[in-house]
Amino acid sequence: MTTALDGLTGPAIELAEHWTAHNYHPLPVVIASGEGAWVTDVDGRRYLDCLAGYSALNFGHRHPDLIAAAHAQLDRVTLTSRAFLHDQFGPFCQELATLCGKDLVLPMNTGAEAVETAIKVARKWGYKVKGVPDGQATIVVAADNFHGRTTTIISFSTDPDARADYGPYTPGFRIVPYGDLAALADAIDDTTVAVLIEPIQGEAGVLVPPPDYLPGVRELCTASNVLFVADEVQSGLGRTGATFACGDVVPDVYVLGKALGGGIVPVSAIAANRDVLGVLRPGEHGSTFGGNPLACAVARAVIALLGTGQPQANARLVGAYLHERLNTLVGHGLTAVRGRGLWAGIDIDPALMTGRQACEALLTHGVLAKDTHGSTLRLAPPLLVTEGDVDVAVDALTAVLKG
């Protein structure tokens, strides 16, 4: 397969380039439709989607159960604001809280909003429950993190592209190396209200921490009376082969988003027990669209899919096949493969090409992927892919690496 900028593709790209702020550098493809793990561009070319909207499309494009839930709700009511209740709200909160094993849920819209919510709740908990002096709360985070794009969040980013030229920055954060328990222990003191980490760092290249890291974080937080906040916006809801990437380690606060909206609407939330989320009172935090009827209806259908266990099982089984095939390319154009389930970070020999060049080459073979940081690619196809789909992706990568 080859891509071309003639037909409808070229004019569509030119239109977007002319009228859009250049905060992204998209691949030269213009998608017109999608179903399952495959999309079709405006000129009729088909591609295997190995990004899945950064995990927002865990259940594929236009999953019939999710589309049906959206259609049914569109015919009834789509927004009430939080000034009023609606009939989808209580059931959604109950079902998500049960999925997380927590008492309460606070719905928002985007992942960044959910992270901001977790930060605010952790600080308020620190002042009201732990007794940290007002204005002195600190939160420990990991280097190479990605938690969103708001001013507060980029204040503790170590990525110059995300952080540069947006100061002054929000204080109150301490950055330690990811996976380093000793450094984490040294950073915690009486002012620390939370440790905020990704169980697997996606933007950094799908970095999986040492096996003792998450249990160690849990132990340190418990011993120090500090909240363990797990940002599972990308890693959660089936991506790794389990409902949550934290696995058996239970954080105090789950931060969820992306896949919760089924690729249809932005839905995010934090889930925690009553002793944490109970610090909020009416008027102290909110969102007009957070927990709207359409979002709740779709998210309830997502939770029902996860309740079957099928997406998680497929992520484990097909994910194992993906990693098995990718590992055969180490030493043959790849220098490393990392990840878990249907999530892989692959490092291409930089002497061969950059990550961007690899993605452009994969595009010509009918595969959509995304680079990050030099010669690293992320592969995160929808959780419904088959071994045959994996063969398409890895065969294309093999051809690209051979030149």
Short mmCIF file of all heavy atoms in Angstrom, two decimals, residues 294-326:
data_model
loop_
_atom_site.label_atom_id
_atom_site.label_comp_id
_atom_site.label_asym_id
_atom_site.label_seq_id
_atom_site.Cartn_x
_atom_site.Cartn_y
_atom_site.Cartn_z
N LEU A 294 -25.03 11.81 28.38
CA LEU A 294 -24.44 11.08 27.25
C LEU A 294 -23.15 10.38 27.68
O LEU A 294 -22.93 9.20 27.37
CB LEU A 294 -24.18 12.03 26.09
CG LEU A 294 -23.57 11.40 24.82
CD1 LEU A 294 -24.50 10.31 24.27
CD2 LEU A 294 -23.30 12.48 23.78
N ALA A 295 -22.31 11.11 28.40
CA ALA A 295 -21.05 10.52 28.87
C ALA A 295 -21.31 9.34 29.79
O ALA A 295 -20.66 8.28 29.68
CB ALA A 295 -20.23 11.59 29.60
N CYS A 296 -22.25 9.49 30.72
CA CYS A 296 -22.52 8.40 31.66
C CYS A 296 -23.08 7.17 30.96
O CYS A 296 -22.74 6.03 31.31
CB CYS A 296 -23.51 8.88 32.73
SG CYS A 296 -22.81 10.04 33.92
N ALA A 297 -23.94 7.38 29.96
CA ALA A 297 -24.52 6.25 29.24
C ALA A 297 -23.45 5.46 28.51
O ALA A 297 -23.43 4.22 28.54
CB ALA A 297 -25.59 6.74 28.26
N VAL A 298 -22.55 6.17 27.84
CA VAL A 298 -21.47 5.49 27.12
C VAL A 298 -20.53 4.80 28.10
O VAL A 298 -20.13 3.64 27.90
CB VAL A 298 -20.71 6.49 26.23
CG1 VAL A 298 -19.46 5.82 25.64
CG2 VAL A 298 -21.60 7.02 25.12
N ALA A 299 -20.16 5.50 29.17
CA ALA A 299 -19.24 4.92 30.14
C ALA A 299 -19.83 3.69 30.82
O ALA A 299 -19.11 2.73 31.13
CB ALA A 299 -18.86 5.96 31.18
N ARG A 300 -21.14 3.68 31.05
CA ARG A 300 -21.77 2.49 31.63
C ARG A 300 -21.63 1.30 30.68
O ARG A 300 -21.41 0.16 31.13
CB ARG A 300 -23.25 2.77 31.91
CG ARG A 300 -23.50 3.75 33.04
CD ARG A 300 -24.99 3.87 33.33
NE ARG A 300 -25.52 2.61 33.87
CZ ARG A 300 -26.81 2.33 33.96
NH1 ARG A 300 -27.72 3.20 33.49
NH2 ARG A 300 -27.21 1.18 34.47
N ALA A 301 -21.75 1.55 29.37
CA ALA A 301 -21.56 0.47 28.41
C ALA A 301 -20.11 -0.01 28.39
O ALA A 301 -19.83 -1.21 28.22
CB ALA A 301 -21.99 0.94 27.02
N VAL A 302 -19.16 0.92 28.58
CA VAL A 302 -17.75 0.55 28.70
C VAL A 302 -17.53 -0.35 29.91
O VAL A 302 -16.86 -1.39 29.83
CB VAL A 302 -16.86 1.81 28.80
CG1 VAL A 302 -15.46 1.47 29.28
CG2 VAL A 302 -16.79 2.52 27.45
N ILE A 303 -18.10 0.06 31.04
CA ILE A 303 -17.94 -0.73 32.27
C ILE A 303 -18.55 -2.12 32.10
O ILE A 303 -17.99 -3.13 32.58
CB ILE A 303 -18.57 0.02 33.45
CG1 ILE A 303 -17.80 1.31 33.73
CG2 ILE A 303 -18.60 -0.86 34.71
CD1 ILE A 303 -18.54 2.28 34.64
N ALA A 304 -19.67 -2.21 31.39
CA ALA A 304 -20.29 -3.51 31.14
C ALA A 304 -19.38 -4.40 30.29
O ALA A 304 -19.26 -5.61 30.54
CB ALA A 304 -21.64 -3.32 30.44
N LEU A 305 -18.72 -3.81 29.28
CA LEU A 305 -17.78 -4.58 28.47
C LEU A 305 -16.63 -5.12 29.33
O LEU A 305 -16.23 -6.28 29.21
CB LEU A 305 -17.22 -3.72 27.34
CG LEU A 305 -18.13 -3.44 26.15
CD1 LEU A 305 -17.45 -2.49 25.18
CD2 LEU A 305 -18.51 -4.73 25.43
N LEU A 306 -16.10 -4.26 30.20
CA LEU A 306 -15.01 -4.69 31.06
C LEU A 306 -15.49 -5.77 32.04
O LEU A 306 -14.72 -6.65 32.42
CB LEU A 306 -14.45 -3.50 31.83
CG LEU A 306 -13.68 -2.48 31.00
CD1 LEU A 306 -13.45 -1.20 31.80
CD2 LEU A 306 -12.35 -3.06 30.53
N GLY A 307 -16.76 -5.70 32.40
CA GLY A 307 -17.31 -6.68 33.32
C GLY A 307 -17.32 -8.10 32.77
O GLY A 307 -17.32 -9.06 33.54
N THR A 308 -17.31 -8.23 31.44
CA THR A 308 -17.24 -9.57 30.84
C THR A 308 -15.85 -10.18 30.95
O THR A 308 -15.70 -11.40 30.84
CB THR A 308 -17.62 -9.50 29.35
OG1 THR A 308 -16.58 -8.82 28.62
CG2 THR A 308 -18.96 -8.80 29.15
N GLY A 309 -14.84 -9.34 31.13
CA GLY A 309 -13.46 -9.82 31.18
C GLY A 309 -12.86 -10.13 29.83
O GLY A 309 -11.66 -10.43 29.73
N GLN A 310 -13.65 -10.04 28.77
CA GLN A 310 -13.16 -10.41 27.44
C GLN A 310 -12.09 -9.46 26.91
O GLN A 310 -11.07 -9.92 26.36
CB GLN A 310 -14.33 -10.50 26.45
CG GLN A 310 -13.93 -11.01 25.08
CD GLN A 310 -15.13 -11.20 24.17
OE1 GLN A 310 -16.28 -11.17 24.60
NE2 GLN A 310 -14.87 -11.37 22.89
N PRO A 311 -12.26 -8.13 27.03
CA PRO A 311 -11.19 -7.25 26.53
C PRO A 311 -9.86 -7.49 27.24
O PRO A 311 -8.80 -7.50 26.59
CB PRO A 311 -11.73 -5.84 26.82
CG PRO A 311 -13.21 -6.00 26.91
CD PRO A 311 -13.42 -7.35 27.51
N GLN A 312 -9.92 -7.71 28.56
CA GLN A 312 -8.69 -7.96 29.30
C GLN A 312 -8.04 -9.27 28.85
O GLN A 312 -6.82 -9.34 28.69
CB GLN A 312 -8.98 -8.01 30.80
CG GLN A 312 -9.58 -6.73 31.39
CD GLN A 312 -11.10 -6.73 31.45
OE1 GLN A 312 -11.76 -7.11 30.47
NE2 GLN A 312 -11.66 -6.31 32.57
N ALA A 313 -8.86 -10.30 28.65
CA ALA A 313 -8.33 -11.59 28.25
C ALA A 313 -7.68 -11.52 26.88
O ALA A 313 -6.60 -12.08 26.65
CB ALA A 313 -9.44 -12.65 28.25
N ASN A 314 -8.32 -10.80 25.95
CA ASN A 314 -7.74 -10.68 24.61
C ASN A 314 -6.45 -9.87 24.65
O ASN A 314 -5.49 -10.18 23.93
CB ASN A 314 -8.73 -10.01 23.66
CG ASN A 314 -8.41 -10.32 22.20
OD1 ASN A 314 -8.41 -11.48 21.79
ND2 ASN A 314 -8.11 -9.29 21.43
N ALA A 315 -6.41 -8.86 25.52
CA ALA A 315 -5.18 -8.08 25.66
C ALA A 315 -4.04 -8.95 26.18
O ALA A 315 -2.88 -8.79 25.75
CB ALA A 315 -5.40 -6.89 26.58
N ARG A 316 -4.34 -9.87 27.07
CA ARG A 316 -3.30 -10.76 27.59
C ARG A 316 -2.83 -11.73 26.50
O ARG A 316 -1.63 -11.89 26.27
CB ARG A 316 -3.82 -11.55 28.79
CG ARG A 316 -4.00 -10.75 30.05
CD ARG A 316 -4.21 -11.65 31.26
NE ARG A 316 -5.38 -12.53 31.13
CZ ARG A 316 -6.62 -12.17 31.48
NH1 ARG A 316 -6.85 -10.95 31.95
NH2 ARG A 316 -7.63 -13.03 31.37
N LEU A 317 -3.80 -12.38 25.85
CA LEU A 317 -3.45 -13.45 24.91
C LEU A 317 -2.81 -12.91 23.64
O LEU A 317 -1.73 -13.34 23.23
CB LEU A 317 -4.70 -14.27 24.58
CG LEU A 317 -5.32 -15.04 25.74
CD1 LEU A 317 -6.65 -15.67 25.34
CD2 LEU A 317 -4.36 -16.12 26.23
N VAL A 318 -3.47 -11.94 23.01
CA VAL A 318 -2.93 -11.39 21.77
C VAL A 318 -1.73 -10.51 22.08
O VAL A 318 -0.79 -10.41 21.28
CB VAL A 318 -4.01 -10.63 20.99
CG1 VAL A 318 -3.46 -10.07 19.69
CG2 VAL A 318 -5.20 -11.56 20.70
N GLY A 319 -1.74 -9.88 23.27
CA GLY A 319 -0.58 -9.10 23.67
C GLY A 319 0.67 -9.96 23.80
O GLY A 319 1.77 -9.54 23.42
N ALA A 320 0.52 -11.17 24.34
CA ALA A 320 1.67 -12.07 24.44
C ALA A 320 2.22 -12.40 23.06
O ALA A 320 3.44 -12.47 22.85
CB ALA A 320 1.28 -13.34 25.18
N TYR A 321 1.31 -12.59 22.10
CA TYR A 321 1.74 -12.88 20.73
C TYR A 321 2.44 -11.67 20.12
O TYR A 321 3.47 -11.81 19.44
CB TYR A 321 0.53 -13.27 19.89
CG TYR A 321 0.85 -13.64 18.46
CD1 TYR A 321 1.56 -14.80 18.16
CD2 TYR A 321 0.44 -12.83 17.40
CE1 TYR A 321 1.85 -15.15 16.85
CE2 TYR A 321 0.72 -13.16 16.09
CZ TYR A 321 1.44 -14.32 15.82
OH TYR A 321 1.73 -14.66 14.51
N LEU A 322 1.91 -10.48 20.38
CA LEU A 322 2.55 -9.26 19.88
C LEU A 322 3.99 -9.14 20.39
O LEU A 322 4.93 -8.89 19.61
CB LEU A 322 1.74 -8.04 20.32
CG LEU A 322 2.38 -6.67 20.08
CD1 LEU A 322 2.53 -6.38 18.60
CD2 LEU A 322 1.57 -5.57 20.76
N HIS A 323 4.17 -9.33 21.69
CA HIS A 323 5.51 -9.19 22.26
C HIS A 323 6.44 -10.30 21.78
O HIS A 323 7.64 -10.07 21.56
CB HIS A 323 5.43 -9.15 23.78
CG HIS A 323 4.92 -7.85 24.31
ND1 HIS A 323 5.75 -6.78 24.57
CD2 HIS A 323 3.66 -7.42 24.58
CE1 HIS A 323 5.03 -5.76 25.01
NE2 HIS A 323 3.76 -6.13 25.02
N GLU A 324 5.89 -11.49 21.60
CA GLU A 324 6.70 -12.60 21.07
C GLU A 324 7.24 -12.26 19.69
O GLU A 324 8.42 -12.45 19.40
CB GLU A 324 5.85 -13.87 21.01
CG GLU A 324 6.56 -15.09 20.43
CD GLU A 324 5.64 -16.27 20.28
OE1 GLU A 324 4.59 -16.32 20.96
OE2 GLU A 324 5.94 -17.16 19.45
N ARG A 325 6.38 -11.73 18.84
CA ARG A 325 6.82 -11.39 17.48
C ARG A 325 7.77 -10.20 17.48
O ARG A 325 8.76 -10.18 16.75
CB ARG A 325 5.61 -11.11 16.59
CG ARG A 325 4.84 -12.36 16.20
CD ARG A 325 4.41 -12.30 14.74
NE ARG A 325 5.51 -12.05 13.83
CZ ARG A 325 5.38 -11.67 12.56
NH1 ARG A 325 4.17 -11.47 12.06
NH2 ARG A 325 6.41 -11.45 11.79
N LEU A 326 7.48 -9.20 18.29
CA LEU A 326 8.36 -8.02 18.33
C LEU A 326 9.75 -8.38 18.84
O LEU A 326 10.75 -7.85 18.34
CB LEU A 326 7.75 -6.94 19.22
CG LEU A 326 6.53 -6.20 18.67
CD1 LEU A 326 5.95 -5.28 19.74
CD2 LEU A 326 6.89 -5.40 17.41
#
